[in-house]
């Protein structure tokens, strides 16, 4: 029954702890780097099976900022490295899927998550600021989710076929003497 295999539950909880260091060799130039420790817990389910899994993994990020107060221009470049996730846990199968009664077996799901490269800038013109950002994510690394387990036979790969995606954003801010800020902007975000 194709309808019975449709997803009924998709939950993902992540907690990222990112100790960060920065260095400013000149008043205009600064560098930063972080070690990103990520805890992920997930629950993926259909009417026939529920997979609970968790993992802690490590990645990194780095960035540079040029801030020229005289010209009112600030430009930044940042890189966030992707993750190779392997969520280990158990799969609970409904009665009738692997036998007459419900069955719980160890399983895991493995996938790669993208890196992100972004550049942004702001230019001050009096109290008015022009803002812009471009971003690229290599979603093509997430070509499939590999699901493995014992006692269930062959498990098909969850094919993703994602493509790299980008974001372009622009906007402006204006401040009034009463400390009120007006903002407007637009962004275009591709789906992977």
């Amino acid at each position: 029954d194709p309808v019975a295999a449709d997803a009924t539950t998709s939950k993902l909880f992540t907690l990222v702890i990112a100790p960060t260091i920065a260095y400013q060799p000149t008043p205009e130039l600064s560098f930063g780097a972080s070690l990103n420790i990520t805890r992920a817990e997930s629950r993926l389910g259909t009417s026939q099976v529920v997979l609970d899994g968790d993992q802690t993994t490590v990645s990194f990020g780095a960035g540079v900022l040029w801030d020229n107060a005289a010209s009112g221009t600030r430009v930044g470049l940042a890189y966030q490295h992707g993750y190779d996730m392997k969520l280990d846990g158990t799969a609970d199968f409904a009665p009738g899927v692997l036998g007459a009664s419900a069955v719980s077996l160890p399983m895991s799901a493995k996938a790669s998550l993208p890196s992100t490269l972004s550049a942004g800038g702001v230019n001050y013109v009096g109290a008015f600021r022009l803002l812009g950002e471009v971003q690229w994510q290599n979603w093509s690394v997430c070509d499939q989710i590999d699901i493995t387990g014992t006692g269930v036979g062959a498990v098909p790969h969850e094919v993703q076929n994602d493509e790299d995606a980008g974001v372009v954003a622009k906007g402006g801010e204006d401040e009034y003497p009463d400390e009120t800020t007006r903002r407007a902007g637009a962004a275009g975000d591709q789906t992977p």
Side-chain angles (χ1 to χ4, degrees):
D1 180 9
V3 174
D6 282 349
T8 57
T9 304
S10 294
K11 293 182 182 177
L12 178 64
F13 167 81
T14 58
L15 174 65
V16 180
I17 298 172
T20 304
I21 60 170
Y23 174 64
Q24 187 174 14
T26 71
E28 294 182 341
L29 188 63
S30 57
F31 299 92
S34 66
L35 181 68
N36 303 321
I37 304 160
T38 301
R39 173 71 179 169
E41 298 176 3
S42 70
R43 172 173 274 238
L44 307 171
T46 71
S47 59
Q48 298 177 348
V49 62
V50 175
L51 173 64
D52 288 300
D54 58 69
Q55 182 200 22
T56 300
T57 188
V58 177
S59 183
F60 68 92
V64 61
L65 177 66
W66 178 72
D67 186 357
N68 185 292
S71 68
T73 301
R74 180 184 295 173
V75 178
L77 181 66
Y79 174 76
Q80 171 62 53
H81 191 67
Y83 294 92
D84 288 325
M85 302 293 292
K86 183 179 180 196
L87 299 169
D88 295 316
T90 59
D92 297 318
F93 293 88
V97 176
L98 294 179
S101 59
V103 177
S104 183
L105 298 171
M107 293 193 80
S108 65
K110 184 175 148 184
S112 295
L113 298 178
S115 299
T116 302
L117 180 63
S118 58
V122 59
N123 190 32
Y124 290 79
V125 182
F128 188 74
R129 291 179 293 280
L130 295 172
L131 309 153
E133 180 182 10
V134 293
Q135 186 180 93
W136 169 82
Q137 296 174 325
N138 69 329
W139 277 104
S140 58
V141 301
C142 187
D143 55 350
Q144 66 185 22
I145 299 174
D146 295 321
I147 301 171
T148 57
T150 55
V152 295
V155 179
H157 299 294
E158 179 68 32
V159 177
Q160 300 296 303
N161 288 331
D162 289 337
E163 297 178 0
D164 293 350
V167 175
V168 176
K170 60 183 176 178
E173 293 181 339
D174 193 9
E175 289 186 14
Y176 283 95
D178 65 356
E179 298 183 7
T180 301
T181 302
R182 291 185 303 175
R183 292 186 179 104
D189 187 355
Q190 291 178 310
T191 178

